[in-house]
């Protein structure tokens, strides 16, 4: 099971953590894992590129762990971009959860 924890402060996403493995298919063919990875890493890459910010990222050595924290001191414009992209990420992950709820759980 993949667990996604979204941490908010005053309705803004400040951090998210993804842990676990979906185990919805054989290694290398797990569609839920691939979808979650694509959504989360795509969002992080977009925030870094479009928001022009460095994000503190923690990853597990064998996979199955990702924590991303939004820095406190960024411009208002960068924060708006980051929040829009993060909210889009949450919507995409919730879409995966609707179809594959036995493999992913989102706590927001």
């Amino acid at each position: 099971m993949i667990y996604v924890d979204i941490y908010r402060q005053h309705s803004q996403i400040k951090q998210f953590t993804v842990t676990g493995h979906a185990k919805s298919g054989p290694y290398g063919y797990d569609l839920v894992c691939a979808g979650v990875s694509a959504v989360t890493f795509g969002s992080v890459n977009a925030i870094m590129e479009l928001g022009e910010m460095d994000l503190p990222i923690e990853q597990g050595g064998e996979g199955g762990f990702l924590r991303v924290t939004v820095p406190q001191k960024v411009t208002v414009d960068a924060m708006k971009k980051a929040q829009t992209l993060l909210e889009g990420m949450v919507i995409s992950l919730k879409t995966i959860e609707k179809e594959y709820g036995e493999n992913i759980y989102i706590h927001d």
Side-chain angles (χ1 to χ4, degrees):
M1 173 77 80
I2 293 175
Y3 296 93
V4 180
D5 289 302
I6 309 295
Y7 302 95
R8 295 178 184 265
Q9 184 177 44
H10 306 294
S11 76
Q12 286 190 330
I13 297 172
K14 295 298 183 177
Q15 184 181 80
F16 71 89
T17 304
V18 181
T19 58
H21 294 281
K23 298 182 182 176
S24 68
Y27 181 79
Y29 296 92
D30 189 326
L31 294 179
V32 176
C33 182
V36 170
S37 294
V39 168
T40 55
F41 283 104
S43 297
V44 168
N45 289 337
I47 292 165
M48 292 172 67
E49 181 75 23
L50 299 173
E52 298 177 350
M53 71 173 72
D54 290 323
L55 294 173
I57 299 170
E58 299 172 56
Q59 288 183 274
E62 296 287 321
F65 179 81
L66 173 67
R67 177 177 292 134
V68 178
T69 305
V70 178
Q72 293 288 334
K73 296 183 180 184
V74 296
T75 66
V76 172
D77 185 52
M79 184 60 80
K80 283 183 182 180
K81 288 177 184 177
Q83 291 303 310
T84 299
L85 291 163
L86 287 167
E87 293 295 350
M89 178 192 78
V90 171
I91 290 167
S92 294
L93 291 171
K94 286 182 177 181
T95 301
I96 295 170
E97 182 185 39
K98 282 181 187 175
E99 188 69 30
Y100 299 98
E102 66 278 0
N103 303 104
I104 178 173
Y105 173 79
I106 300 169
H107 178 257
D108 185 1

